[in-house]
Amino acid sequence: MKIQELPARAYLAHLRRHPVPELMDEECLAALANVEAQFGDTITHGAGLEVRLGNPARFVDYIMCVDQDYVPGIKCIWYEIDYADYLRGGEISPCLFINTSDYKEEKADEPEHTAAEDDNVQRQEKPFVPPMGKKFWDSVLPPFAGEKRASRLRGQLDRVLAALPPNATIKQIGTMSPRGELDILRLVVIFHQWETIFAWLRDVGWPGDTGAMEQALLPWKEAQGFAVNIDLSESGLLEKTGLEVFGRWRHPLLVDKFIERLEEAGLCLPSKGAALRRWIRILPDGDPFIQTLVTYFKLNYAKGRVTEAKAYLEQSPYIHHHYFPHYERPVRLDMELTDGTAVLPEETALARIRECGENRVRGIRFFGGETYEPLERLLKACVAAGLRAEVVLGRPRAQEQESAALQIEHSWLAALVAAGVDSFLIDLESETDEYALHILAALKELEAANVRARWYMHRDNAGKLAAVAKAAEESGAVELLVTGMKLSAAKNVGTVFPSREQISAAAEFVKDHNGYNESAEGSQESASQETDQNQDTQSAAQPVGMQIAVESCFSPLRAYLDGPDPKYNANRGIERGCEAGRSFMALGADGRFAPCLHWKSGETLQRELQSDRGDSDNTENLVEYWEHAPALQALRENGETRQHCAGCCYERRCLPCQACEEGVTGCPLSN
Ligand code: SF4
Ligand code: SF4
């Protein structure tokens, strides 16, 4: 899993951009400044809100996940900051939680078990204790809970752990000292079988009526996972308890249904239900990635009834689901400076750069800069606006080959590097493309960082992949980006898509070359910082030498690389293929916005996209265009309803180029 390091103030800023007044009134929102004052610069791996759904008061407890170094084997600790604490001002003392599954046992730290635990191990197919044996509690509990509390509670803890049923696990432990609970430890225990919850509570002497508790919670039994929150004291478990339900993300419509049930049960105010429904539909930020979700609900129980429902809202730096059509803002703007006819005025380019900086666009990719005198100034403006800048260079037009090669001078490239360019993307037509190889050699000499080569594959050159990869690697490129099956530069018009056999051979070559499980996320090409929790295992492999990536436009090859089983195919959501209008948009040299620069050249297609809407695109304002342009909306919708892909095993993991006249009708992988 890629770890995204954002300071807490980034999550607070996100919250202020998406206020939920039904959950947080102005006083509550303003009081978060006290959290920011103390923790604003703290690196945070996700933040959240605890919401009391049945309580008309509009305040929340604030939650954040931060690095820590005082509990061995555990990287992060969760702070839960009570509203009263951050409202008061002054120093904040959070309640503390750790996820036991985060524990990484040191190699020498072989698990040892108490007799009771060993007995428990024998009764389980998969013991719950491997990461939580005696050594786990010995090393984690005293620094986390304090020596005194740890020694007072240890006997009771061993007793209740030993009685846990097979497959039950401790999810979290917590301390709530700021609430005066000094000799108490919160246990959050996951059960996979409903009945075992109450049997365990009975066995360990929980002081409540387990039959009454089971009756009261029975309506929520169909939830997929259950985690009991219970407090442990020196004399055993305390009566106060709650049940976490719905602890796995599902489709927003299913979350809606759960909220509706809570409303019907009188556990959630309609206004708060409406706010939750809005919260789970906020479009994610692309880079840095932030997604909003409800992580789980908790039902508090006392004396025969559910007394309260709480929702745990999260701002997560990791992708939990792909049910969104585009990012809230484009991650990248492709800016065309010249197109052979039009030239983008410098003041227009600078104004758009400023606009990108003000609207959280992450970077700009410049095209047609070879003969554009102000490019250096644009790069400096990107640095000033905090934007990443990439310059794309390639042989402009056949008739200009010779003179164009002469124009790219070492000193010009050096000036771009000095002006702050972040990366170069060099279009390499073949392994003998002198124009591109000349640029690559000059950049190598300049020791420019992040130099990539891109190669367009079609039926007549598909056999050259190995030779192109060798030439790119020898020229110092850190990545070769293979593209194809899209509307491309004029020189590729008339080329034919590769055959199924050629795609298969290219996929084999890419896998062999990379020497590890190639994935879209490994490429710098991916416009966002996507992190999918399901791909944890891939993060261990470190690429060596130049890597080959497949551009998202060449979606069929990307899909083919990961195989036909959608479960194991990592191409998901808006990044499974064409990203036009989903994670980026373009500005042509004529000053007009477009979904991508290749849509600009396919004007008939762009008109077709708009015709159903009877509207013309706004070119005054980047955000207006991104949110409302009929062309973008049509593109997003059409991508989900394409006919020709029906029945293809890659349908859910592929999004081909819609700007391409042949479209998917010419896809060699179609049935
Ligand atoms: S429309 Fe999409 S797939 Fe086609 S060239 Fe543009 S970004 Fe690539
Ligand atoms: S038929 Fe459609 S879904 Fe299948 S690989 Fe080709 S473009 Fe992708």
Side-chain angles (χ1 to χ4, degrees):
M1 185 190 299
K2 286 180 203 161
I3 304 293
Q4 191 163 277
E5 308 223 309
L6 285 180
R9 70 174 78 257
Y11 292 99
L12 290 163
H14 179 270
L15 192 56
R16 289 184 189 112
R17 286 198 298 276
H18 302 285
V20 267
E22 301 94 328
L23 309 181
M24 307 172 69
D25 61 18
E26 282 179 15
E27 189 178 24
C28 175
L29 202 57
L32 283 172
N34 295 329
V35 175
E36 189 160 1
Q38 187 166 334
F39 298 114
D41 295 329
T42 306
I43 295 301
T44 307
H45 308 288
L49 313 172
E50 185 196 75
V51 179
R52 290 160 181 82
L53 296 175
N55 186 341
R58 294 181 293 139
F59 64 82
V60 297
D61 292 345
Y62 191 73
I63 298 167
M64 52 194 278
C65 176
V66 303
D67 288 339
Q68 64 83 38
D69 56 10
Y70 63 93
V71 184
I74 300 274
K75 182 172 165 28
C76 299
I77 198 157
W78 288 87
Y79 288 174
E80 186 176 316
I81 305 170
D82 290 345
Y83 175 57
D85 197 5
Y86 69 84
L87 177 69
R88 187 182 56 238
E91 191 169 351
I92 290 169
S93 306
C95 300
L96 306 174
F97 291 84
I98 52 174
N99 288 348
T100 54
S101 61
D102 289 349
Y103 181 65
K104 298 274 181 293
E105 196 169 27
E106 285 166 17
K107 276 216 168 99
D109 196 12
E110 292 301 325
E112 268 181 26
H113 310 303
T114 61
E117 285 166 351
D118 285 338
D119 178 47
N120 190 310
V121 170
Q122 284 166 15
R123 286 188 283 121
Q124 299 179 42
E125 257 180 45
K126 271 180 148 193
F128 79 90
V129 281
M132 290 183 284
K134 181 175 182 302
K135 278 203 171 175
F136 168 81
W137 295 107
D138 284 352
S139 63
V140 167
L141 199 57
F144 174 68
E147 294 282 347
K148 219 164 80 183
R149 176 166 16 199
S151 72
R152 281 186 181 163
L153 296 183
R154 186 56 189 270
Q156 288 292 353
L157 180 68
D158 285 347
R159 186 178 68 81
V160 300
L161 288 179
L164 275 175
N167 294 329
T169 48
I170 304 291
K171 174 188 162 198
Q172 267 188 338
I173 54 176
T175 58
M176 280 152 289
S177 309
R179 298 179 192 166
E181 299 176 0
L182 298 180
D183 276 336
I184 288 173
L185 184 71
R186 167 69 53 88
L187 300 177
V188 182
V189 192
I190 295 179
F191 292 86
H192 295 283
Q193 277 175 302
W194 177 259
E195 299 73 22
T196 59
I197 300 174
F198 309 99
W200 176 70
L201 287 171
R202 227 175 359 254
D203 288 353
V204 295
W206 177 64
D209 178 341
T210 51
M213 180 179 173
E214 184 170 5
Q215 266 321 106
L217 292 171
L218 205 57
W220 311 98
K221 183 182 171 183
E222 72 268 26
Q224 284 186 353
F226 324 101
V228 172
N229 284 227
I230 197 128
D231 291 337
L232 183 74
S233 75
E234 217 177 339
S235 54
L237 293 181
L238 301 180
E239 191 172 359
K240 179 183 169 190
T241 185
L243 185 72
E244 291 177 13
V245 289
F246 211 81
R248 218 180 85 187
W249 177 262
R250 278 166 271 174
H251 193 283
L253 294 175
L254 294 173
V255 185
D256 288 350
K257 282 205 170 136
F258 196 84
I259 296 168
E260 197 177 315
R261 288 182 56 206
L262 290 170
E263 288 169 340
E264 283 166 7
L267 291 166
C268 177
L269 295 170
S271 61
K272 295 204 171 182
L276 296 193
R277 290 183 184 95
R278 261 201 340 274
W279 176 262
I280 61 175
R281 287 176 171 78
I282 292 171
L283 292 167
D285 279 6
D287 186 8
F289 183 83
I290 299 181
Q291 184 167 56
T292 51
L293 59 143
V294 176
T295 315
Y296 60 90
F297 294 90
K298 189 165 90 180
L299 304 172
N300 283 342
Y301 166 84
K303 310 268 180 240
R305 67 185 190 92
V306 175
T307 53
E308 180 182 37
K310 291 180 179 178
Y312 291 80
L313 278 54
E314 190 174 348
Q315 297 165 291
S316 173
Y318 306 119
I319 284 196
H320 292 256
H321 70 83
H322 295 272
Y323 301 119
F324 54 92
H326 57 96
Y327 291 122
E328 206 213 6
R329 292 282 182 272
V331 173
R332 189 184 83 220
L333 178 73
D334 283 3
M335 187 182 284
E336 185 184 48
L337 302 172
T338 58
D339 66 359
T341 315
V343 179
L344 189 69
E346 182 179 355
E347 57 274 22
T348 307
L350 289 170
R352 292 304 184 203
I353 289 171
R354 281 193 298 275
E355 197 179 1
C356 285
E358 286 156 12
N359 287 287
R360 294 176 287 112
V361 177
R362 197 73 182 90
I364 299 193
R365 184 179 278 182
F366 293 101
F367 292 77
E370 293 88 341
T371 55
Y372 191 76
E373 188 274 326
L375 179 56
E376 226 179 295
R377 294 194 287 282
L378 301 193
L379 295 175
K380 286 180 181 160
C382 285
V383 174
L387 297 166
R388 288 193 203 122
E390 181 167 69
V391 172
V392 180
L393 299 172
R395 197 192 321 239
R397 273 166 300 282
Q399 66 273 23
E400 290 178 10
Q401 282 175 19
E402 294 307 316
S403 56
L406 296 174
Q407 284 165 19
I408 301 297
E409 287 177 4
H410 194 279
S411 57
W412 183 74
L413 292 169
L416 300 190
V417 172
V421 64
D422 287 280
S423 56
F424 287 95
L425 181 60
I426 311 302
D427 279 321
L428 183 61
E429 284 185 24
S430 71
E431 75 280 17
T432 57
D433 177 353
E434 282 181 18
Y435 178 83
L437 292 172
H438 158 79
I439 300 172
L440 286 167
L443 291 172
K444 191 176 178 184
E445 228 178 278
L446 285 165
E447 298 181 350
N450 295 321
V451 178
R452 302 188 292 152
R454 180 169 58 178
W455 174 68
Y456 185 94
M457 173 175 147
H458 53 77
R459 190 160 298 189
D460 295 336
N461 71 358
K464 295 285 190 181
L465 174 55
V468 169
K470 187 166 180 282
E473 184 150 30
E474 285 173 359
S475 304
V478 295
E479 182 176 270
L480 173 67
L481 194 56
V482 178
T483 191
M485 292 181 65
K486 69 173 186 178
L487 200 70
S488 191
K491 53 188 170 275
N492 293 317
V493 170
T495 56
V496 180
F497 287 171
S499 65
R500 174 182 275 269
E501 291 69 33
Q502 288 173 326
I503 287 193
S504 169
E508 282 313 307
F509 180 81
V510 171
K511 281 185 196 163
D512 277 0
H513 177 94
N514 287 350
Y516 76 109
N517 190 13
E518 162 69 12
S519 78
E521 285 69 30
S523 163
Q524 295 179 31
E525 182 57 14
S526 184
S528 80
Q529 300 289 313
E530 171 168 349
T531 305
D532 190 325
Q533 290 184 315
N534 298 327
Q535 293 157 25
D536 290 7
T537 50
Q538 294 179 6
S539 60
Q542 288 301 319
V544 177
M546 184 193 79
Q547 292 294 294
I548 302 181
V550 180
E551 194 178 43
S552 54
C553 303
F554 201 175
S555 185
L557 175 55
R558 277 217 331 201
Y560 189 91
L561 263 168
D562 275 10
D565 187 340
K567 255 198 314 222
Y568 301 105
N569 195 310
N571 299 291
R572 289 159 197 263
I574 66 171
E575 290 177 358
R576 70 193 188 279
C578 170
E579 296 185 53
R582 292 174 170 80
S583 62
F584 83 96
M585 56 178 268
L587 177 74
D590 57 5
R592 292 181 61 80
F593 290 125
C596 104
L597 290 175
H598 300 303
W599 273 104
K600 186 185 160 242
S601 49
E603 274 168 13
T604 326
L605 291 165
Q606 186 153 201
R607 272 200 302 280
E608 273 170 20
L609 273 181
Q610 293 168 15
S611 60
D612 287 347
R613 313 283 167 143
D615 197 358
S616 65
D617 286 345
N618 180 317
T619 53
E620 294 303 311
N621 177 305
L622 179 141
V623 171
E624 180 72 16
Y625 182 84
W626 184 251
E627 291 182 351
H628 303 296
L632 293 194
Q633 293 191 32
L635 191 59
R636 291 162 188 156
E637 286 164 22
N638 294 350
E640 305 307 318
T641 56
R642 57 194 200 277
Q643 296 295 315
H644 295 289
C645 295
C648 172
C649 62
Y650 301 110
E651 194 181 356
R652 286 165 54 204
R653 298 289 176 260
C654 174
L655 193 55
C657 179
Q658 297 176 71
C660 191
E661 303 279 354
E662 282 176 274
V664 290
T665 54
C667 176
L669 302 184
S670 65
N671 294 321

